[in-house]
Amino acid sequence: MNLIFLGPPGAGKGTIAAIVKDAYKIPHISTGDLFRANIKNETELGKQVKEILASGNLVPDEITIKMVENRLSESDANDGYILDGFPRTIAQADALASMSDVDYVVNFVIERETILKRLSGRRVCKSTGRTYHILYNPPKVEGIDDETGEPLIQRDDDKEEAILNRLDVYEKSTAPLIDYYKKKGLLIDLDASKSPEEIFEAFKKVIR
Ligand code: AMP
């Protein structure tokens, strides 16, 4: 099953993708995670995109499409995948259409206010990528990762100015994909304001 998870930043795509990945045994391919891994490992690509990610702007299509093409050619993606955070522009969607057939585009529907609350409280463990929320999913000890004991950080792009920019970028560049995939008959709407368990239940029903 080839899935796209579409929706604004903070809609919970990554959380649900982690659940679907385990349940359906298909890889979770997050372009944001791939970029962050490159930045952490100080690769050439990482150096190219570091500033762009911190600002919340989009990495140029050419770079992003090449990275996804490479990732989808790996053998674990042969029997399906969850693309989380890709495509984000019409040009990326057109490129994906020439690489692979998509079965469903899951559209995470959520209000801007809810997103702001979620993202501004998000904290991550830098080495493992494990995420918390200061209100909804706090660590056992404030500011510390439950398993590694490392201090939690706030992603640069989860700071308020970058969040507002990311939401504007989403509205301008990515939201047009909702119509694009609706016209292709691939779109499924999910109410992303619910809990992860409820969202996963709704997901299973619609793709049955
Ligand atoms: P995410 O973790 O999905 O919110 O992505 C974090 C950042 O990575 C975004 O704000 C962009 O700077 C970059 N990024 C991720 N996916 C894409 C994409 N498909 N196209 C362009 N930039 C992307």
mmCIF file of all heavy atoms in Angstrom, residues 58 61 65 87-97 172-181:
data_model
loop_
_atom_site.group_PDB
_atom_site.id
_atom_site.type_symbol
_atom_site.label_atom_id
_atom_site.label_comp_id
_atom_site.label_asym_id
_atom_site.label_seq_id
_atom_site.Cartn_x
_atom_site.Cartn_y
_atom_site.Cartn_z
ATOM 1 N N LEU A 58 10.635 26.047 2.299
ATOM 2 C CA LEU A 58 10.770 24.747 1.641
ATOM 3 C C LEU A 58 12.136 24.606 0.974
ATOM 4 O O LEU A 58 12.655 25.559 0.385
ATOM 5 C CB LEU A 58 9.684 24.560 0.576
ATOM 6 C CG LEU A 58 8.238 24.436 1.072
ATOM 7 C CD1 LEU A 58 7.312 24.150 -0.103
ATOM 8 C CD2 LEU A 58 8.101 23.346 2.127
ATOM 9 N N ASP A 61 12.578 22.128 -4.888
ATOM 10 C CA ASP A 61 11.984 20.883 -5.393
ATOM 11 C C ASP A 61 13.029 19.899 -5.914
ATOM 12 O O ASP A 61 12.972 18.705 -5.628
ATOM 13 C CB ASP A 61 11.003 21.203 -6.536
ATOM 14 C CG ASP A 61 9.689 21.780 -6.006
ATOM 15 O OD1 ASP A 61 9.335 21.493 -4.848
ATOM 16 O OD2 ASP A 61 9.028 22.517 -6.759
ATOM 17 N N ILE A 65 13.106 16.200 -4.529
ATOM 18 C CA ILE A 65 12.635 15.114 -5.398
ATOM 19 C C ILE A 65 13.727 14.052 -5.566
ATOM 20 O O ILE A 65 13.476 12.852 -5.480
ATOM 21 C CB ILE A 65 12.190 15.680 -6.776
ATOM 22 C CG1 ILE A 65 10.892 16.494 -6.598
ATOM 23 C CG2 ILE A 65 11.995 14.569 -7.800
ATOM 24 C CD1 ILE A 65 10.531 17.376 -7.780
ATOM 25 N N PRO A 87 4.477 14.722 -1.182
ATOM 26 C CA PRO A 87 4.884 15.983 -1.803
ATOM 27 C C PRO A 87 4.339 17.195 -1.053
ATOM 28 O O PRO A 87 3.359 17.106 -0.335
ATOM 29 C CB PRO A 87 4.263 15.893 -3.198
ATOM 30 C CG PRO A 87 3.061 15.026 -3.026
ATOM 31 C CD PRO A 87 3.421 14.033 -1.969
ATOM 32 N N ARG A 88 5.024 18.322 -1.239
ATOM 33 C CA ARG A 88 4.587 19.573 -0.621
ATOM 34 C C ARG A 88 4.325 20.648 -1.663
ATOM 35 O O ARG A 88 3.916 21.747 -1.307
ATOM 36 C CB ARG A 88 5.677 20.071 0.322
ATOM 37 C CG ARG A 88 5.403 19.803 1.817
ATOM 38 C CD ARG A 88 6.638 20.240 2.564
ATOM 39 N NE ARG A 88 6.505 20.571 3.929
ATOM 40 C CZ ARG A 88 6.833 19.786 4.952
ATOM 41 N NH1 ARG A 88 7.184 18.544 4.735
ATOM 42 N NH2 ARG A 88 6.787 20.231 6.174
ATOM 43 N N THR A 89 4.584 20.350 -2.916
ATOM 44 C CA THR A 89 4.283 21.298 -4.006
ATOM 45 C C THR A 89 3.696 20.488 -5.173
ATOM 46 O O THR A 89 3.876 19.255 -5.236
ATOM 47 C CB THR A 89 5.568 21.996 -4.528
ATOM 48 O OG1 THR A 89 6.439 20.990 -5.080
ATOM 49 C CG2 THR A 89 6.308 22.747 -3.435
ATOM 50 N N ILE A 90 3.040 21.199 -6.083
ATOM 51 C CA ILE A 90 2.477 20.518 -7.260
ATOM 52 C C ILE A 90 3.607 19.870 -8.072
ATOM 53 O O ILE A 90 3.464 18.740 -8.550
ATOM 54 C CB ILE A 90 1.699 21.529 -8.147
ATOM 55 C CG1 ILE A 90 0.548 22.159 -7.342
ATOM 56 C CG2 ILE A 90 1.232 20.883 -9.443
ATOM 57 C CD1 ILE A 90 -0.723 21.368 -7.237
ATOM 58 N N ALA A 91 4.745 20.563 -8.184
ATOM 59 C CA ALA A 91 5.871 19.994 -8.961
ATOM 60 C C ALA A 91 6.340 18.676 -8.333
ATOM 61 O O ALA A 91 6.651 17.711 -9.041
ATOM 62 C CB ALA A 91 7.023 20.994 -9.013
ATOM 63 N N GLN A 92 6.364 18.613 -7.005
ATOM 64 C CA GLN A 92 6.757 17.355 -6.332
ATOM 65 C C GLN A 92 5.715 16.264 -6.584
ATOM 66 O O GLN A 92 6.060 15.092 -6.787
ATOM 67 C CB GLN A 92 6.920 17.586 -4.823
ATOM 68 C CG GLN A 92 8.123 18.465 -4.467
ATOM 69 C CD GLN A 92 8.254 18.709 -2.971
ATOM 70 O OE1 GLN A 92 7.606 18.050 -2.148
ATOM 71 N NE2 GLN A 92 9.098 19.668 -2.589
ATOM 72 N N ALA A 93 4.441 16.654 -6.571
ATOM 73 C CA ALA A 93 3.379 15.662 -6.801
ATOM 74 C C ALA A 93 3.470 15.107 -8.219
ATOM 75 O O ALA A 93 3.318 13.893 -8.440
ATOM 76 C CB ALA A 93 2.008 16.297 -6.556
ATOM 77 N N ASP A 94 3.742 15.985 -9.193
ATOM 78 C CA ASP A 94 3.895 15.526 -10.579
ATOM 79 C C ASP A 94 5.087 14.576 -10.698
ATOM 80 O O ASP A 94 5.022 13.544 -11.371
ATOM 81 C CB ASP A 94 4.092 16.721 -11.527
ATOM 82 C CG ASP A 94 2.787 17.489 -11.771
ATOM 83 O OD1 ASP A 94 1.700 16.909 -11.566
ATOM 84 O OD2 ASP A 94 2.860 18.668 -12.146
ATOM 85 N N ALA A 95 6.180 14.920 -10.003
ATOM 86 C CA ALA A 95 7.377 14.062 -10.049
ATOM 87 C C ALA A 95 7.070 12.699 -9.425
ATOM 88 O O ALA A 95 7.460 11.658 -9.963
ATOM 89 C CB ALA A 95 8.535 14.735 -9.310
ATOM 90 N N LEU A 96 6.344 12.708 -8.317
ATOM 91 C CA LEU A 96 6.006 11.440 -7.653
ATOM 92 C C LEU A 96 5.147 10.569 -8.569
ATOM 93 O O LEU A 96 5.346 9.347 -8.639
ATOM 94 C CB LEU A 96 5.280 11.708 -6.328
ATOM 95 C CG LEU A 96 4.841 10.455 -5.567
ATOM 96 C CD1 LEU A 96 6.047 9.618 -5.133
ATOM 97 C CD2 LEU A 96 3.999 10.825 -4.344
ATOM 98 N N ALA A 97 4.212 11.208 -9.290
ATOM 99 C CA ALA A 97 3.321 10.449 -10.177
ATOM 100 C C ALA A 97 4.126 9.699 -11.242
ATOM 101 O O ALA A 97 3.727 8.615 -11.680
ATOM 102 C CB ALA A 97 2.315 11.395 -10.827
ATOM 103 N N LYS A 172 0.102 28.284 1.152
ATOM 104 C CA LYS A 172 0.416 28.760 -0.196
ATOM 105 C C LYS A 172 0.846 27.620 -1.131
ATOM 106 O O LYS A 172 0.322 27.477 -2.226
ATOM 107 C CB LYS A 172 1.537 29.803 -0.090
ATOM 108 C CG LYS A 172 1.776 30.587 -1.342
ATOM 109 C CD LYS A 172 2.682 31.794 -1.067
ATOM 110 C CE LYS A 172 3.657 31.968 -2.199
ATOM 111 N NZ LYS A 172 4.987 31.442 -1.987
ATOM 112 N N SER A 173 1.785 26.794 -0.662
ATOM 113 C CA SER A 173 2.392 25.819 -1.592
ATOM 114 C C SER A 173 1.780 24.429 -1.519
ATOM 115 O O SER A 173 1.736 23.719 -2.527
ATOM 116 C CB SER A 173 3.890 25.690 -1.300
ATOM 117 O OG SER A 173 4.500 26.937 -1.334
ATOM 118 N N THR A 174 1.353 24.013 -0.313
ATOM 119 C CA THR A 174 0.966 22.611 -0.141
ATOM 120 C C THR A 174 -0.545 22.390 -0.173
ATOM 121 O O THR A 174 -1.010 21.395 -0.749
ATOM 122 C CB THR A 174 1.562 22.052 1.168
ATOM 123 O OG1 THR A 174 2.960 22.351 1.197
ATOM 124 C CG2 THR A 174 1.378 20.553 1.265
ATOM 125 N N ALA A 175 -1.325 23.329 0.411
ATOM 126 C CA ALA A 175 -2.782 23.135 0.445
ATOM 127 C C ALA A 175 -3.389 22.905 -0.956
ATOM 128 O O ALA A 175 -4.360 22.147 -1.077
ATOM 129 C CB ALA A 175 -3.452 24.295 1.170
ATOM 130 N N PRO A 176 -2.838 23.516 -2.032
ATOM 131 C CA PRO A 176 -3.394 23.221 -3.366
ATOM 132 C C PRO A 176 -3.365 21.727 -3.735
ATOM 133 O O PRO A 176 -4.109 21.285 -4.611
ATOM 134 C CB PRO A 176 -2.498 24.038 -4.311
ATOM 135 C CG PRO A 176 -2.005 25.172 -3.475
ATOM 136 C CD PRO A 176 -1.833 24.614 -2.093
ATOM 137 N N LEU A 177 -2.541 20.951 -3.030
ATOM 138 C CA LEU A 177 -2.493 19.505 -3.328
ATOM 139 C C LEU A 177 -3.785 18.796 -2.909
ATOM 140 O O LEU A 177 -4.080 17.701 -3.388
ATOM 141 C CB LEU A 177 -1.309 18.852 -2.604
ATOM 142 C CG LEU A 177 0.076 19.235 -3.121
ATOM 143 C CD1 LEU A 177 1.157 18.574 -2.287
ATOM 144 C CD2 LEU A 177 0.228 18.824 -4.579
ATOM 145 N N ILE A 178 -4.539 19.425 -2.002
ATOM 146 C CA ILE A 178 -5.801 18.804 -1.574
ATOM 147 C C ILE A 178 -6.721 18.660 -2.794
ATOM 148 O O ILE A 178 -7.245 17.575 -3.066
ATOM 149 C CB ILE A 178 -6.477 19.643 -0.458
ATOM 150 C CG1 ILE A 178 -5.575 19.646 0.789
ATOM 151 C CG2 ILE A 178 -7.864 19.103 -0.125
ATOM 152 C CD1 ILE A 178 -6.060 20.561 1.902
ATOM 153 N N ASP A 179 -6.856 19.741 -3.556
ATOM 154 C CA ASP A 179 -7.684 19.689 -4.760
ATOM 155 C C ASP A 179 -7.084 18.775 -5.816
ATOM 156 O O ASP A 179 -7.796 18.043 -6.500
ATOM 157 C CB ASP A 179 -7.806 21.101 -5.362
ATOM 158 C CG ASP A 179 -9.155 21.689 -5.026
ATOM 159 O OD1 ASP A 179 -9.975 20.971 -4.429
ATOM 160 O OD2 ASP A 179 -9.384 22.877 -5.356
ATOM 161 N N TYR A 180 -5.770 18.860 -5.935
ATOM 162 C CA TYR A 180 -5.040 18.066 -6.929
ATOM 163 C C TYR A 180 -5.370 16.571 -6.748
ATOM 164 O O TYR A 180 -5.689 15.870 -7.694
ATOM 165 C CB TYR A 180 -3.545 18.341 -6.718
ATOM 166 C CG TYR A 180 -2.551 17.549 -7.543
ATOM 167 C CD1 TYR A 180 -1.949 18.117 -8.667
ATOM 168 C CD2 TYR A 180 -2.157 16.264 -7.174
ATOM 169 C CE1 TYR A 180 -1.001 17.427 -9.403
ATOM 170 C CE2 TYR A 180 -1.212 15.557 -7.900
ATOM 171 C CZ TYR A 180 -0.628 16.136 -9.015
ATOM 172 O OH TYR A 180 0.316 15.445 -9.730
ATOM 173 N N TYR A 181 -5.317 16.101 -5.471
ATOM 174 C CA TYR A 181 -5.561 14.674 -5.242
ATOM 175 C C TYR A 181 -7.052 14.344 -5.172
ATOM 176 O O TYR A 181 -7.456 13.213 -5.453
ATOM 177 C CB TYR A 181 -4.828 14.208 -3.981
ATOM 178 C CG TYR A 181 -3.337 14.038 -4.224
ATOM 179 C CD1 TYR A 181 -2.392 14.780 -3.527
ATOM 180 C CD2 TYR A 181 -2.872 13.124 -5.170
ATOM 181 C CE1 TYR A 181 -1.037 14.625 -3.764
ATOM 182 C CE2 TYR A 181 -1.519 12.961 -5.423
ATOM 183 C CZ TYR A 181 -0.595 13.711 -4.718
ATOM 184 O OH TYR A 181 0.748 13.554 -4.957
#
